Amino acid sequence: ILGGADALERRWPWQVSVHYGGFHVCGGSIIDEYWVLSAAHCFNRDKNMEAFDIYVGLVDLRFAGNHTQWFEVNKVIVHPTYEVYHPVGGDVALVQLKSRIVFSDSVLPVCIASPDVNLHNATCWSTGWGLVSPQGHVPNKLQEVQIPLISLPLCRLLYGHLSYIMPDMLCAGDIRDMRTVCEGDSGGPLVCEFNHTWLQVGIVSWGRGCVYPMYPAVYARVSYFSKWIRYHMEHTPPPSQPLPALARVLGVSVSVLAALLAVLPML
Amino acid sequence: MAHRRPRSQSGAWSPDVACGHRYIQGK
């Protein structure tokens, strides 16, 4: 994030760090005890799913705090329109964790913007551990920045012939100041407060680098995907839990006993 | 549909935790 500030602990309790091979690569957000929302391009097909780790309750990338939890990925569901109608269109991924997140003051879910959300005059924030300068400086502490939303017509005007901005996208940026998201913020949330409740309205997706403020950051528009998100959260079975060794032994003993009882009357 | 979980009134899918609320006040 360019032009942001260090975030205090517990300020963005839904923020997630997606690690690949032990390094932060993308952001994400907690939307449920088993589910994280992120960008599809963070989970490319050629990546080894077992090399991903998900961290929640994290502020400083160097240290796990008292509330930090670590998770393995069970399943990644990429939106079916990803890269279909636009090189970065449908840039949404639902990540199911292998075990349940324990919520606390520092670890909480964000709400998903519904299709009828009205973003007029909304005050919105982006957060992430992405680059903090065009020279490539990386932060240790989670960064936050308040970013104004930009209408689709203005965003299309600003990008001109470079790229078409699709209806499933949302633009935000400050075309005067250097306040924007950057590489490494991908997958992270753009959230706005409505009536004391924080709604996620965007997922950091793409842009023309982060050096040119004239080109706003482009996010996946969460309200466009909210029905798809809710459908998969409701209809995907929770991950199967491995049986502890003792339970397996007990299970075998019970089945042997049942077999004996069934055979005994025949003797 | 055994795995289907109820949706709370807050819109969160976690039965006991409301979404979008944090426990510190903004500036």
Side-chain angles (χ1 to χ4, degrees):
Chain A
I1 281 175
L2 266 59
D6 289 356
L8 294 174
E9 205 174 316
R10 292 185 292 167
R11 192 157 151 79
W12 310 106
W14 39 80
Q15 178 73 43
V16 162
S17 169
V18 177
H19 278 49
Y20 187 76
F23 293 96
H24 168 88
V25 289
C26 273
S29 57
I30 302 169
I31 53 171
D32 180 75
E33 53 194 350
Y34 275 109
W35 291 97
V36 161
L37 190 62
S38 189
H41 78 261
C42 295
F43 298 88
N44 279 338
R45 290 174 202 90
D46 57 338
K47 289 218 168 80
N48 170 18
M49 286 299 141
E50 291 185 355
F52 281 105
D53 295 312
I54 305 290
Y55 287 85
V56 305
L58 195 62
V59 174
D60 192 319
L61 281 179
R62 295 168 299 178
F63 312 111
N66 291 337
H67 301 281
T68 305
Q69 298 169 58
W70 161 81
F71 296 92
E72 290 177 299
V73 170
N74 186 60
K75 177 183 272 190
V76 177
I77 306 175
V78 168
H79 195 269
T81 63
Y82 174 53
E83 293 182 326
V84 173
Y85 303 113
H86 185 282
V88 215
D91 195 10
V92 181
L94 266 171
V95 182
Q96 189 186 45
L97 308 178
K98 280 191 180 173
S99 55
R100 187 190 297 257
I101 297 172
V102 177
F103 293 132
S104 67
D105 289 4
S106 302
V107 180
L108 290 167
V110 69
C111 299
I112 293 300
S114 57
D116 58 352
V117 69
N118 181 1
L119 298 178
H120 189 64
N121 283 338
T123 304
C124 304
W125 294 74
S126 262
T127 45
W129 286 277
L131 302 183
V132 290
S133 75
Q135 291 75 35
H137 293 107
V138 290
N140 291 312
K141 292 198 170 170
L142 179 65
Q143 300 292 298
E144 63 177 37
V145 71
Q146 189 181 325
I147 303 188
L149 302 182
I150 292 175
S151 69
L152 276 186
L154 177 58
C155 194
R156 284 173 181 151
L157 201 66
L158 291 168
Y159 269 91
H161 64 278
L162 281 174
S163 181
Y164 189 71
I165 309 297
M166 305 284 281
D168 68 345
M169 298 171 184
L170 182 153
C171 300
D174 196 321
I175 56 175
R176 285 171 301 181
D177 302 325
M178 291 280 276
R179 288 194 296 167
T180 190
V181 290
C182 200
E183 195 180 319
D185 291 316
S186 282
L190 174 69
V191 295
C192 320
E193 191 176 20
F194 297 94
N195 299 323
H196 309 292
T197 300
W198 288 89
L199 295 190
Q200 182 171 354
V201 302
I203 301 167
V204 179
S205 180
W206 64 278
R208 197 181 172 214
C210 31
V211 184
Y212 313 105
M214 283 301 286
Y215 296 101
V218 185
Y219 298 75
R221 186 182 288 267
V222 169
S223 60
Y224 190 95
F225 299 102
S226 61
K227 283 182 181 167
W228 177 82
I229 292 168
R230 291 189 168 169
Y231 176 86
H232 284 282
M233 282 170 64
E234 284 193 330
H235 291 86
T236 307
S240 55
Q241 298 299 321
L243 279 171
L246 180 61
R248 271 205 300 272
V249 170
L250 285 175
V252 170
S253 309
V254 168
S255 42
V256 168
L257 187 62
L260 276 174
L261 287 172
V263 170
L264 273 176
M266 299 177 205
L267 299 175
Chain B
M1 302 300 282
H3 55 267
R4 191 168 171 161
R5 284 173 289 149
R7 180 185 168 191
S8 68
Q9 285 185 334
S10 66
W13 263 254
S14 311
D16 52 349
V17 176
C19 63
H21 293 279
R22 59 189 187 190
Y23 291 103
I24 55 169
Q25 296 297 316
K27 281 186 262 187

